[in-house]
Amino acid sequence: MNSQPDRFALPFIRRSLIGAAVLALCAGPALAVNPFVVKDIRVEGIQRTEAGTVFTYLPVRVGETFDDEKSIAAIKALYATGFFKDIRLEEENGVLIVLVEERPAINNVDFTGAKEFEKDMLVKALGEIGVGEAKIYDKSAVDRAEQELKRQYLSHGMYGVKITTTVTPIERNRVNVMFNVDEGEVARIKQINIVGNKVVSDKEIREILQLSTSGWFTWYSKADQYSKTKLTGDLEAIKSYYLDRGYLEANVESTQVAITPDKKDIYLTINITEGEKYTVSDIKMDGEMFGREEELRRLVLLEPGKVYSGAKQEASIKRIAERLGSFGYAFANVNADPQLDREKRQVAFTFVVDPGKRAYVRHMNIAGNTVTRDEVIRREFRQFESSWYDASKVKLSRDRVDRLSYFKDVKVETPESPGSTDQVDVNLTVEERPTGNFMIGGSFSQAEKFTFTASIQQANFAGSGNTVGLDLNTSKYSRTIAFSQTNPYFTDDGISRAFQLYYRTTRPPLANFGSYTVRQTGGNMTFGVPFSETDTVYFGAGLERTTLTTDRSSPQLYKEYVAQNGGPKDPADPLNYGVGTGKSMSIPLTVAWGRDSRDSALTPSYGRYQRANLEVDVFGDSKYFRAIYEHQWYRPLTSWMTLAVRGELDYGKGIGKDAYPVFKNFYAGGIGSVRGYESSTLGVVDPVYGDAIGGSKRVIGNLELQFPFPGSSKDRSLRWFTFADGGQVFQEDNPIRLKEFRYSAGIGLSWISPVGPLRLSFAKPLNAKPGDQLERFQFQMGTGF
């Protein structure tokens, strides 16, 4: 193809869009385009780009006149796409020819030597800055990507990192980009120096820092790896620590970070100015308070005559804003204006209240639920659209959704609605977790060695909020096959319905000398009626057939039951008295009450959980009643430590002349009751064989101090704890005696794992008696407390 300079003599235009425009505008008549009518348009030089894409950007069509103005516009438009590094326009017999040289495209981005970060995460991050598969290759973008990689490594304390980039051309004008990473050794904090502190010791300050020198857990927490972000957080923590102790003018003046020439050790110096300690002299309220000045004044935690506390100041502001929020003032602004008296070392505060406009909710939005249906979440809302905003109802809605136990995390935000000053949107974002649980439990003892239990259940079935379970539970001494279904919204107003069909077989542990077999077949149905936001009353009925088989080695209590329910009971044959099979039918009626105000069902940090259950059978073969009361209480002691207390009191008794059924006995020992003792071995023992036979009365108490795992202070799913347990089981005719209680203490770990809640514990029995069966290490997956 020949160029025709007499008709179209625009020179080759390369590299710069501005240069192309200037050349075209400044060119003399010899460089001007002789206007012509475009008969056709042809694109040459393209390899990946479709011709239609080029036609889309051209400002001229067939049949139009092509002139200087359109030639400049064409070149500008094509360069602006970023697809081409060279563009040339020619004309031949009325045909506009567009000759292009494409920029190479990135075929693949790969890494070698990168161990600190996941490859997929790196590929995604670089793709966001323009270096990714199918993107146009741009050397400046690759250089930025290389610098970003270095920055990420430096943030992890890897100051010796070296990155080289290799770009390899391949067929069809494509390139492969390879980042070769030499991570080097991690630079670790060798020493942290605190300068200027007189009132607070170096040890106290170091304890509140995220950064630290190398220690026992720094291999996991990586707290000994310097990070600018962590340092910024630590400086704020130091300032807050001083403010909470009255040092209103405390400040971190400067920090110095020094690294050794071999880039292995870091020395950190923090310079502090403490200032003077201030006490509060006076508290005043100002602003628009709608006649509630005294009510809002009582929400202020700062007290005249007491040492100033920054934490109490912030908490006071938050309490006032939340109280105003419960009246619809979503944008309430509260400021604490200090007036310092440096001579007396006193500070007076004026809390200025600006409620702003009263707001109502425009939309309640849900995000993050890919399996759970919207209606399952929305029916837990207590804040409604088109009604006044109420901060307490928004919080209650969040807590109710969290208590469903379908989500790892539940967050709520209340941004102002776009284009409005008196509307807010409530945005609830959830992170779903697997709700199909395969639960296992186990323990180790000298007598039993390892024992295991297992079951499987599916909650939130198909995102419906219903729980459907096929419970297959098996261990060396118990088996259960059960089908259950729970619909928490059987009616639109929140009445729940649950039913269960089951078959259970129970045998004594192998460590027992006596043997027996209990088989139970039955079913039950329960309805739950909510009476308040946290209270539900349950009503239920069931039908259960029990078969108890004994032999001569069985405990006497079990033989008595068999004798009273169809088995041999000839006093003249004491060896075979009660040896055989006894059968009975039970028709238990239940009424129960539950109250749940916890902030989370899986990882609670505050709130209460209570339940009371009464089971009565007056129509079956064995008439009895059985009462259970449980109370759990959670309270954060600090921002990182939670106190958890649990108590349970159970009582059963036969009605009239009927004895309390032995198969309804309570047991204690193991996870869930008194750790450190083998499961179900505490309490009264058979006088002949010494086997635990349970009792009709049980008292259990547990206390835990829960802590975040080192380096994961914001991760509530992984925690360790210390605990103290106490409890015992008593027979119907025996009084409850504290001196017979068994106690234990120890440490444990809880983790909300991908397959369910996991708890490990190592316990030391504190007052074990001869004959007690001990188990120091125990674990269970699927329990809540």
Side-chain angles (χ1 to χ4, degrees):
M1 182 181 301
N2 298 320
S3 175
Q4 298 187 17
D6 58 323
R7 297 192 60 187
F8 186 61
L10 194 66
F12 289 176
I13 305 174
R14 303 174 183 269
R15 308 293 181 191
S16 171
L17 176 62
I18 297 176
V22 170
L23 282 173
L25 289 171
C26 298
L31 296 178
V33 176
N34 294 323
F36 66 95
V37 176
V38 178
K39 297 178 181 179
D40 195 9
I41 302 175
R42 191 164 71 240
V43 181
E44 296 182 0
I46 55 175
Q47 300 180 52
R48 301 180 317 275
T49 309
E50 295 290 336
T53 302
V54 178
F55 295 151
T56 300
Y57 287 98
L58 283 176
V60 64
R61 298 291 180 265
V62 174
E64 296 180 354
T65 300
F66 191 79
D67 53 18
D68 288 341
E69 183 179 348
K70 288 187 177 179
S71 69
I72 294 171
I75 291 176
K76 283 184 177 180
L78 292 178
Y79 267 116
T81 65
F83 299 156
F84 313 111
K85 65 178 181 180
D86 195 13
I87 302 168
R88 203 168 42 160
L89 301 177
E90 296 181 357
E91 181 269 344
E92 183 178 289
N93 298 324
V95 177
L96 176 62
I97 303 173
V98 182
L99 297 101
V100 297
E101 183 180 350
E102 289 180 322
R103 293 181 182 273
I106 297 176
N107 175 67
N108 184 45
V109 177
D110 206 352
F111 304 86
T112 60
K115 301 176 183 178
E116 182 70 10
F117 301 99
E118 293 288 339
K119 178 181 175 181
D120 291 344
M121 186 272 288
L122 293 176
V123 170
K124 181 179 178 181
L126 296 190
E128 293 175 353
I129 59 177
V131 179
E133 186 176 335
K135 294 183 180 293
I136 300 299
Y137 170 73
D138 185 340
K139 187 178 185 306
S140 62
V142 172
D143 291 341
R144 288 196 305 272
E146 187 176 306
Q147 293 305 313
E148 175 62 20
L149 283 175
K150 287 182 179 179
R151 190 184 68 82
Q152 291 295 330
Y153 274 98
L154 293 179
S155 70
H156 281 229
M158 295 182 168
Y159 289 89
V161 65
K162 296 179 181 179
I163 300 175
T164 56
T165 307
T166 304
V167 180
T168 306
I170 60 175
E171 74 280 356
R172 295 179 56 207
N173 198 25
R174 295 176 299 163
V175 296
N176 289 330
V177 180
M178 175 70 74
F179 292 94
N180 304 285
V181 181
D182 179 4
E183 293 183 338
E185 294 187 24
V186 177
R188 304 189 182 278
I189 298 176
K190 185 72 172 180
Q191 186 174 324
I192 299 178
N193 300 311
I194 313 295
V195 179
N197 57 311
K198 299 177 181 178
V199 178
V200 181
S201 67
D202 288 5
K203 180 181 179 181
E204 288 179 88
I205 294 176
R206 289 194 178 96
E207 286 178 351
I208 65 175
L209 300 179
Q210 292 186 60
L211 296 174
S212 70
T213 54
S214 299
W216 285 98
F217 291 103
T218 51
W219 64 269
Y220 173 81
S221 66
K222 298 184 179 179
D224 59 346
Q225 297 182 16
Y226 171 75
S227 164
K228 187 175 181 180
T229 303
K230 286 184 179 181
L231 177 59
T232 301
D234 284 344
L235 300 184
E236 289 298 320
I238 292 173
K239 188 173 181 180
S240 296
Y241 190 83
Y242 274 97
L243 287 174
D244 291 346
R245 283 149 184 79
Y247 294 90
L248 190 59
E249 297 178 300
N251 192 30
V252 178
E253 293 295 332
S254 62
T255 56
Q256 290 85 41
V257 180
I259 185 169
T260 55
D262 59 5
K263 297 183 179 181
K264 293 182 179 180
D265 297 326
I266 292 178
Y267 292 82
L268 182 62
T269 302
I270 301 175
N271 300 282
I272 299 173
T273 300
E274 293 181 327
E276 301 292 341
K277 180 185 287 189
Y278 282 80
T279 58
V280 179
S281 60
D282 191 20
I283 299 292
K284 296 179 181 179
M285 305 294 295
D286 194 12
E288 179 58 67
M289 289 170 280
F290 310 105
R292 297 177 177 270
E293 181 175 348
E294 281 303 315
E295 178 184 350
L296 299 180
R297 172 66 179 80
R298 288 194 295 269
L299 298 177
V300 177
L301 300 177
L302 295 173
E303 300 178 51
K306 298 292 183 66
V307 174
Y308 165 77
S309 168
K312 288 184 177 180
Q313 175 187 325
E314 292 300 318
S316 301
I317 292 173
K318 183 178 179 181
R319 282 157 63 102
I320 294 172
E322 287 179 348
R323 183 57 179 158
L324 292 171
S326 65
F327 300 128
Y329 296 97
F331 310 114
N333 186 26
V334 182
N335 291 311
D337 183 20
Q339 297 88 44
L340 296 179
D341 186 339
R342 289 186 172 83
E343 291 185 2
K344 296 182 179 180
R345 299 176 186 173
Q346 293 180 340
V347 57
F349 282 95
T350 300
F351 285 82
V352 182
V353 179
D354 177 14
K357 289 186 177 181
R358 195 177 187 191
Y360 62 92
V361 175
R362 186 185 67 163
H363 295 308
M364 300 281 294
N365 302 314
I366 303 172
N369 55 315
T370 57
V371 176
T372 307
R373 302 171 190 172
D374 275 10
E375 64 179 29
V376 173
I377 299 174
R378 286 192 181 278
R379 65 195 185 191
E380 302 299 330
F381 288 172
R382 293 303 177 262
Q383 171 71 64
F384 301 109
E385 294 177 344
S386 301
S387 63
W388 292 116
Y389 170 85
D390 188 331
S392 61
K393 290 182 179 179
V394 171
K395 180 180 180 300
L396 178 60
S397 300
R398 193 219 75 88
D399 289 349
R400 287 181 64 91
V401 172
D402 199 357
R403 286 199 291 266
L404 291 174
S405 301
Y406 304 155
F407 310 108
K408 291 181 181 178
D409 192 21
V410 180
K411 296 179 181 178
V412 64
E413 296 178 338
T414 56
E416 185 176 350
S417 300
S420 174
T421 59
D422 63 349
Q423 297 181 47
V424 297
D425 291 331
V426 177
N427 299 329
L428 189 82
T429 304
V430 299
E431 182 183 354
E432 290 184 314
R433 71 176 187 89
T435 55
N437 290 329
F438 174 67
M439 297 180 287
I440 63 172
S443 59
F444 179 82
S445 66
Q446 290 184 347
E448 296 288 333
K449 304 305 179 184
F450 278 103
T451 61
F452 293 92
T453 62
S455 67
I456 187 169
Q457 190 178 63
Q458 174 67 60
N460 194 23
F461 182 75
S464 65
N466 297 341
T467 298
V468 178
L470 179 61
D471 193 5
L472 304 173
N473 187 298
T474 181
S475 70
K476 289 185 177 181
Y477 43 85
S478 68
R479 288 179 176 82
T480 298
I481 301 175
F483 175 77
S484 61
Q485 193 263 357
T486 301
N487 184 351
Y489 278 81
F490 180 64
T491 64
D492 291 339
D493 52 0
I495 294 178
S496 65
R497 184 201 66 187
F499 70 85
Q500 183 184 45
L501 300 173
Y502 57 85
Y503 172 80
R504 300 190 184 105
T505 301
T506 305
R507 295 182 176 88
L510 296 179
N512 286 21
F513 291 99
S515 66
Y516 57 85
T517 301
V518 180
R519 293 184 176 88
Q520 294 177 305
T521 305
N524 55 64
M525 182 173 290
T526 304
F527 293 90
V529 182
F531 280 84
S532 73
E533 296 297 344
T534 57
D535 295 87
T536 304
V537 175
Y538 300 89
F539 304 93
L543 183 66
E544 183 177 83
R545 181 177 181 82
T546 301
T547 302
L548 176 58
T549 302
T550 58
D551 58 27
R552 290 185 178 181
S553 68
S554 300
Q556 188 62 32
L557 197 62
Y558 289 81
K559 293 179 182 178
E560 291 288 347
Y561 173 83
V562 171
Q564 294 170 12
N565 291 275
K569 56 179 178 180
D570 185 0
D573 186 11
L575 291 178
N576 294 313
Y577 181 86
V579 176
T581 300
K583 299 180 179 180
S584 66
M585 184 68 71
S586 300
I587 308 175
L589 305 176
T590 59
V591 59
W593 163 78
R595 171 177 291 175
D596 192 351
S597 62
R598 296 173 297 175
D599 60 332
S600 172
L602 288 175
T603 56
S605 60
Y606 68 85
R608 297 172 185 265
Y609 172 78
Q610 296 169 265
R611 70 179 180 98
N613 184 86
L614 176 63
E615 178 182 315
V616 180
D617 184 2
V618 295
F619 303 107
D621 297 330
S622 298
K623 297 174 176 57
Y624 68 93
F625 73 87
R626 194 171 189 253
I628 297 173
Y629 175 73
E630 179 185 4
H631 192 135
Q632 297 180 19
W633 182 82
Y634 300 88
R635 188 70 66 211
L637 299 182
T638 67
S639 60
W640 50 272
M641 179 171 62
T642 299
L643 173 65
V645 181
R646 174 182 176 269
E648 184 174 345
L649 179 63
D650 308 320
Y651 182 75
K653 186 176 177 61
I655 297 177
K657 296 182 180 180
D658 287 8
Y660 183 72
V662 63
F663 54 83
K664 292 290 183 178
N665 273 355
F666 299 102
Y667 292 86
I671 287 183
S673 58
V674 185
R675 286 160 282 198
Y677 298 86
E678 190 174 338
S679 178
S680 303
T681 60
L682 293 181
V684 180
V685 298
D686 180 71
V688 177
Y689 298 109
D691 299 334
I693 56 177
S696 63
K697 291 177 283 189
R698 177 172 63 179
V699 180
I700 300 293
N702 310 104
L703 184 147
E704 287 186 3
L705 285 176
Q706 301 171 348
F707 310 90
F709 204 74
S712 58
S713 59
K714 294 183 180 180
D715 184 5
R716 294 172 57 188
S717 66
L718 179 63
R719 295 185 290 183
W720 68 280
F721 56 87
T722 61
F723 65 85
D725 296 338
Q728 189 55 283
V729 175
F730 301 90
Q731 283 290 330
E732 183 175 347
D733 298 330
N734 296 335
I736 296 176
R737 297 187 178 93
L738 290 177
K739 66 179 183 180
E740 296 183 16
F741 274 45
R742 296 293 188 270
Y743 301 97
S744 66
I747 60 174
L749 177 71
S750 66
W751 176 37
I752 308 301
S753 72
V755 293
L758 170 68
R759 292 176 71 84
L760 308 172
S761 67
F762 183 82
K764 176 178 176 57
L766 301 179
N767 64 335
K769 306 295 183 183
D772 287 346
Q773 299 179 41
L774 308 183
E775 253 180 11
R776 296 184 182 274
F777 173 74
Q778 295 169 324
F779 78 90
Q780 192 162 16
M781 184 173 290
T783 61
F785 187 88

